[in-house]
């Protein structure tokens, strides 16, 4: 359970985008979004950073390797065509229920984690951020990969267990019960917001 939040903590939400919203998740997607919305409102009230992370893996180096079940294009033409389709359909856009506002950070990642080859760490450091609250989809993929890298970088981590979900129950439970307790604290959206209210507003 949560014991504390750093005075400068950022909310980082993983892959809550149109292409993910239609997937079959273990927990109702709308329930996860509702809890994420509550966290967003609470962080904005405290004038703490809200970070939306989206994923576009087309053309990333790892997609060009031999990967079982991979349907990623390997040719330059195929990559261009898929990128154009993503742009045209808005598949990588953050879902409309979670409006990205001025002052929020929007990070586009190309791997599971939000840190490699992005400006996330630099942007957090500019703001003096030492703690991160994580949520999003999928628990055992984007959330866990980001958490592992954040832990290596020395951030204090808090996991909003009801503001994340997975494509499999086993993946979700393994992350929550085995991985996350070793690198951070886990609690509900309600408990995290209660702890957040104890922090002073940063001017």
């Amino acid at each position: 359970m949560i014991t504390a939040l750093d005075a400068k903590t950022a909310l980082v939400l993983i892959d809550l985008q149109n292409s993910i919203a239609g997937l079959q998740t273990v927990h109702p997607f709308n329930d996860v979004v509702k809890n994420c919305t509550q966290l967003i409102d609470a962080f904005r009230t405290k004038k703490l950073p809200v970070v939306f992370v989206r994923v576009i893996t087309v053309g990333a180096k790892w997609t060009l390797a031999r990967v079982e079940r991979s349907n990623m294009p390997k040719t330059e033409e195929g990559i261009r065509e898929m990128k154009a389709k993503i742009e045209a359909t808005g598949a990588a856009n953050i879902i409309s229920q979670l409006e990205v506002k001025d002052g929020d950070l929007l990070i586009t990642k190309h791997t599971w984690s939000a840190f490699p080859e992005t400006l996330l760490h630099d942007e957090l450091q500019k703001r003096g951020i030492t703690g991160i609250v994580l949520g999003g989809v999928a628990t055992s993929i984007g959330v866990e990969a980001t958490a592992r890298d954040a832990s290596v970088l020395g951030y204090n981590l808090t996991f909003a267990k009801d503001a994340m979900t997975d494509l499999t129950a086993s993946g979700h439970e393994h992350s929550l019960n085995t991985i996350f307790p070793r690198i951070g604290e886990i609690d509900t959206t309600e408990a995290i917001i209660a702890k957040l209210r104890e922090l002073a507003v940063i001017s």
Side-chain angles (χ1 to χ4, degrees), residues 92-105:
N93 292 350
I94 300 299
I95 59 174
S96 59
Q97 299 98 306
L98 303 177
E99 181 183 358
V100 181
K101 295 187 176 182
D102 291 340
D104 296 337
L105 285 172

Side-chain angles (χ1 to χ4, degrees), residues 118-184:
T118 76
L119 294 175
L120 179 56
H121 182 54
D122 290 341
E123 293 294 340
L124 294 179
Q125 290 301 288
K126 286 178 186 177
R127 293 159 174 79
I129 297 300
T130 58
I132 293 175
V133 171
L134 273 166
V137 181
T139 309
S140 65
I141 304 175
V143 178
E144 181 177 315
T146 300
R148 286 173 179 261
D149 284 345
S151 176
V152 170
L153 291 168
Y155 291 98
N156 289 313
L157 297 175
T158 305
F159 300 94
K161 63 182 179 181
D162 54 358
M164 63 179 70
T165 189
D166 206 296
L167 307 181
T168 67
S170 60
H172 180 77
E173 294 300 326
H174 183 265
S175 293
L176 280 176
N177 296 328
T178 305
I179 304 300
F180 294 169
R182 302 187 68 175
I183 56 177

Side-chain angles (χ1 to χ4, degrees), residues 10 31 37 43-44 47 49 52 55 58 60 79 85 116 144-145 150 178 182 189:
D31 290 351
T37 299
F43 270 78
R44 286 176 176 159
K47 298 182 180 180
F52 295 95
V55 61
V58 181
I79 290 169
K85 183 178 180 180
E144 181 177 315
T178 305
R182 302 187 68 175
T189 294

Side-chain angles (χ1 to χ4, degrees), residues 99-112:
E99 181 183 358
V100 181
K101 295 187 176 182
D102 291 340
D104 296 337
L105 285 172
L106 178 62
I107 299 292
T108 300
K109 66 185 176 78
H110 309 289
T111 64
W112 288 6

Side-chain angles (χ1 to χ4, degrees), residues 42 45-46 117 123 149 161 164 190 196 202:
T45 297
K46 287 296 186 180
E117 301 176 357
E123 293 294 340
D149 284 345
K161 63 182 179 181
M164 63 179 70
E190 182 180 8
L196 191 65
I202 299 174

Side-chain angles (χ1 to χ4, degrees), residues 26-45:
V26 175
H27 310 90
F29 187 78
N30 287 339
D31 290 351
V32 171
V33 172
K34 179 181 178 181
N35 289 326
C36 287
T37 299
Q38 292 176 4
L39 287 167
I40 290 168
D41 290 344
F43 270 78
R44 286 176 176 159
T45 297

